Each structure stands twice: as C-alpha cells, then as structure tokens.
C-alpha cells in the first residue's frame, strides 16, 4: 500500500492528478468508505453485520447523492494507524471515522478535511471503584492509549502542563486496549469523550462500574477526509455535510421530505428538494440529490439523535454540535 502511495506521489506531485473519484465510484458502483473497526454510535457493525452510526450514515448519504442508493457502500474497517494510508493509497474514497481535523493532517499529507460532523474533546474513562474524580488524581497511573491517534500527544502535553506523570500503555488495536483497561492493567483509558461514552455503554458490560471524568483536555473536531487534488469530489463531500445541516435548519426530515417536496412553496426548501433552483449541477449531480440524502438518512439532527443523542445508547447531549440558532456551531453556508 505504501509503495502505491509513493508511486502516486512521484507521478503526481501534490497528488494533483488523483483522478476523478466520482467517476471511479460510478464505475465501481460502490462508494469505498473507511470506517473504524467498531465504535458504536459512530461506526460499528451490528449483530447482523449491518454498519451503523453517524459516520456510517454520512457514507450512506454520499452513496445516496452519487449512486442514488444509500446501500451501495463498501465498508473498510480501519484501525487508527491504518486509516490515512488507506485513503492516500486510493483503497477508500473517503475516510468517515472519528478522525480529528488538525493542521498536520489537513496539509502536507495529500489529504484534506471536508468539515466536521461531530465536535469532541479528549477525556478519561476510569473504573468507578478507583474513586478517581478528576484526571489530576491520575498522577503516577498507567493509562491505556491507542497508537496513531491525536490522543497520544495530547496526553503527554496534558501531563507536562499539569506537572503529573503517567505511564502510558500503547496498543494498536482497540480490542486490545479495551481488554487491558477492563482487566485492570491500566487505571484509565484516554480517547475522545464520545468514544469513551460509547465504550462505557456498549463494551463494558456494566456501564455503572465506569465513569468518564469531567475534563476535556483537547479539541477534537471529527470529520470526513478525502485525498487532495480532486476538488470535485471534495465539493460533493463537503456540500453533503452542509445539505444535512441545511435540511435540519429548514425543518426537512426523513418523515416529511416527500410531503414538502410535493407541497412546499418555500424557495429554500424547493431548491433543496429538487423542485426549484438546481443545486445539483454545480456539483456534477442531478437536482434531486439532497432529496435522496434526506430520504435515506434524515437531516443532521436526526442522524445525531438516532446514533448518539440523549435517547440513544450513548446519551450524548447535542451541546456544541447544535445549529447556531440553538447555541451550537454547526453552520452551513447557503445551498444555492
Ligand atoms: N479522534 C482521534 C482518535 C480517533 C481514534 O482512532 N480513536 C480510537 C480509540 S476510541 C478508535 O477509534 N479506535 C477504533 C479502531 O481502531 O478501530 C484521532 O483522530 O486521532
């Protein structure tokens, strides 16, 4: 995989000739979507092998937009370490997997972030019986961390700034980290707080025995990533994210999308649903693409509520991930 990437860099400086990803997707008849190996609520296969979660719904939305079918997705489960190489080498079209947007990842690696789908921060999961209530009480503790993450460096910086020492136990595989943490080999597991809520609720077997500590020691804006050099595909991914937000803003839901398409006289709604000004053409899509996206997965708010919201297994508050009118930062430029 690395060799292919090196060849691509040599032949296409700056990866400017990455080719038309949309054409490749159409030809293949499937979107190649990189997900995690299993973080419930974001991307995880259920007992029937069906992929579910916010990041999964985002890939289904892309497939609905481009291939007119949300089920035409090939899922590639990737560890933290594997994810960027898989995207660079062309194995996947998009990485949609709790991946933090940072300068170093967004520039200089042949990759580019299309936006953020969930804003998070790094936290700590501990065993309740330890009595630990704050990360500062973890001085001298052994902390489990997954390699290839922003988590590693944040932890070291937090320790230095707080004048405490940790012993870090590093693992490449999430299942191995969880085994170490649940068996008591480390006193805490540090990762994105949303992933910790997921692990506590879904993987611990006894959520009441574990606590996510209140500290958030970093900024972790998670979002979809594509290869640099294909602006057309980048635009499709970015505007699919914006369309999900704008649909929420305009009150378009999976349940009312047909009725609104048939009867709404609001030009903004008509545009979105393919019966007004054409918002498909500039993206190389047909005019009904947003209609199909909302019909397939619902608007951003619905995706949030279903997968990670207060009534879901994870029970996460909407918080900063709300629309601006509700005090959040999920803002979409006008779709017109
Ligand atoms: N957001 C952070 C952490 C993301 C991450 O990979 N977290 C781990 C720990 S929860 C994970 O998702 N592992 C799942 C896997 O490797 O399949 C990053 O982008 O580096």
């Amino acid at each position: 995989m690395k060799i292919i990437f090196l060849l691509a860099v040599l032949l296409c400086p700056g990866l400017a000739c990455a080719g038309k990803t949309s054409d490749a997707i159409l030809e293949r008849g499937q979107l190649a979507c990189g997900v995690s190996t299993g973080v419930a609520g974001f991307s995880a296969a259920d007992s029937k092998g069906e992929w579910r979660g916010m990041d999964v719904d985002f890939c289904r939305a892309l497939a609905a937009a481009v291939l007119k079918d949300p089920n035409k997705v090939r899922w590639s489960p990737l560890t933290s370490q594997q994810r960027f190489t898989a995207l660079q080498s062309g194995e996947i079209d998009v990485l949609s997997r709790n991946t933090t947007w940072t300068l170093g990842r967004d520039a200089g690696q042949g990759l580019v972030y299309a936006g953020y789908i969930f804003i998070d921060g790094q936290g700590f999961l501990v065993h309740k019986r330890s009595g630990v209530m704050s990360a500062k009480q973890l001085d001298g503790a052994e902390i489990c961390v997954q390699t290839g993450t922003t988590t590693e460096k944040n932890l070291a910086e937090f320790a230095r700034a707080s004048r405490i020492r940790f012993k870090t136990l590093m693992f490449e595989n999430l299942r191995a980290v969880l085994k170490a943490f649940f068996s008591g080999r480390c006193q805490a597991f540090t990762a994105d707080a949303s992933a910790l809520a997921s692990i506590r609720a879904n993987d611990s077997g006894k959520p009441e025995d574990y606590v996510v500590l209140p500290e958030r020691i970093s900024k972790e804006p998670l979002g979809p990533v594509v290869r640099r050099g294909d602006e057309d595909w980048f635009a499709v991914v970015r505007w699919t994210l914006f369309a999900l937000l704008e649909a929420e803003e305009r009150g378009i839901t999976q349940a009312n999308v047909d009725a609104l398409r048939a009867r709404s006289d609001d030009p903004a709604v008509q545009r979105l649903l393919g019966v007004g000004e054409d918002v498909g053409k500039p993206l190389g899509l047909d005019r009904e693409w947003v209609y199909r996206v909302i019909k397939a997965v619902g608007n951003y708010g619905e995706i949030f509520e279903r997968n990670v919201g207060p009534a879901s297994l994870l029970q996460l508050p909407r918080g900063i991930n709300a629309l601006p009118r509700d005090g959040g930062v999920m803002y979409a430029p006008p779709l017109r």
Side-chain angles (χ1 to χ4, degrees):
M1 215 150 52
K2 275 192 180 131
I3 292 172
I4 296 172
F5 176 59
L6 279 178
L7 270 178
V9 173
L10 286 176
L11 296 173
C12 312
L15 290 189
C17 58
K20 285 220 159 262
T21 311
S22 300
D23 290 349
I25 295 168
L26 287 170
E27 207 167 298
R28 199 188 303 126
Q30 265 188 329
L31 170 82
C33 175
V35 287
S36 75
T37 62
V39 178
F42 289 89
S43 55
D46 68 13
S47 55
K48 295 192 199 94
E50 284 271 328
W51 282 89
R52 289 184 192 285
M54 277 192 90
D55 295 333
V56 163
D57 282 344
F58 185 66
C59 275
R60 287 196 208 284
L62 289 173
V66 179
L67 292 164
K68 305 189 177 173
D69 183 345
N71 298 316
K72 290 192 171 159
V73 184
R74 187 181 77 205
W75 306 103
S76 289
L78 300 163
T79 65
S80 316
Q81 200 93 60
Q82 294 166 332
R83 59 188 155 170
F84 299 114
T85 322
L87 184 59
Q88 288 159 337
S89 70
E91 185 185 321
I92 53 173
D93 304 310
V94 59
L95 180 66
S96 182
R97 175 208 181 281
N98 55 324
T99 294
T100 306
W101 187 354
T102 67
L103 185 151
R105 289 171 173 181
D106 194 48
Q109 292 201 36
L111 305 177
V112 61
Y113 281 72
Y116 33 70
I117 191 165
F118 188 97
I119 297 182
D120 205 357
Q122 184 173 331
F124 295 84
L125 181 69
V126 297
H127 300 258
K128 194 179 245 170
R129 62 167 191 268
S130 70
V132 170
M133 314 271 278
S134 151
K136 305 253 166 80
Q137 290 171 271
L138 289 168
D139 194 13
E142 284 163 310
I143 317 267
C144 279
V145 188
Q146 196 171 353
T147 50
T149 57
T150 47
T151 319
E152 279 182 74
K153 285 184 188 155
N154 293 333
L155 182 67
E157 286 177 12
F158 173 71
R160 212 172 309 128
S162 315
R163 298 176 189 284
I164 52 181
R165 276 176 201 278
F166 297 127
K167 192 163 171 247
T168 46
L169 298 187
M170 312 284 289
F171 300 84
E172 200 200 314
N173 185 294
L174 179 61
R175 298 301 130 196
V177 192
L178 298 188
K179 202 168 160 209
F181 172 68
F182 290 128
S183 70
R185 259 188 80 192
C186 35
Q187 287 84 67
F189 173 37
T190 184
D192 300 338
S194 60
L196 296 179
S198 163
I199 286 156
R200 176 177 177 269
N202 190 65
D203 305 277
S204 70
K206 256 189 139 191
E208 61 279 16
D209 286 358
Y210 301 90
V211 189
V212 178
L213 298 179
E215 286 96 344
R216 298 291 174 267
I217 66 165
S218 67
K219 295 193 280 188
E220 308 290 333
L222 313 174
V225 197
V226 295
R227 275 181 299 284
R228 249 172 212 276
D230 188 343
E231 276 80 6
D232 295 338
W233 174 235
F234 170 78
V236 169
V237 177
R238 167 192 246 188
W239 284 94
T240 300
L241 199 50
F242 289 150
L244 292 168
L245 292 171
E246 173 124 352
E248 178 177 14
E249 196 182 321
R250 306 277 173 195
I252 307 170
T253 66
Q254 206 170 12
N256 69 18
V257 67
D258 281 302
L260 286 176
R261 183 165 69 147
R263 284 188 284 280
S264 176
D265 51 15
D266 176 342
V269 172
Q270 289 180 335
R271 262 199 306 276
L272 244 63
L273 299 184
V275 289
E277 186 190 328
D278 188 348
V279 294
K281 203 162 181 216
L283 293 169
L285 298 172
D286 63 291
R287 63 194 308 144
E288 298 205 319
W289 72 277
V290 182
Y291 164 75
R292 283 194 303 276
V293 165
I294 305 306
K295 183 94 182 153
V297 295
N299 66 39
Y300 177 84
E302 292 180 282
I303 293 176
F304 188 101
E305 295 303 323
R306 179 167 68 236
N307 293 300
V308 302
S312 76
L313 184 69
L314 274 66
Q315 298 178 3
L316 297 175
R318 184 79 186 264
I320 194 172
N321 293 297
L323 299 181
R325 68 172 182 221
D326 304 319
V329 302
M330 286 294 170
Y331 184 90
L335 264 85
R336 66 176 321 152

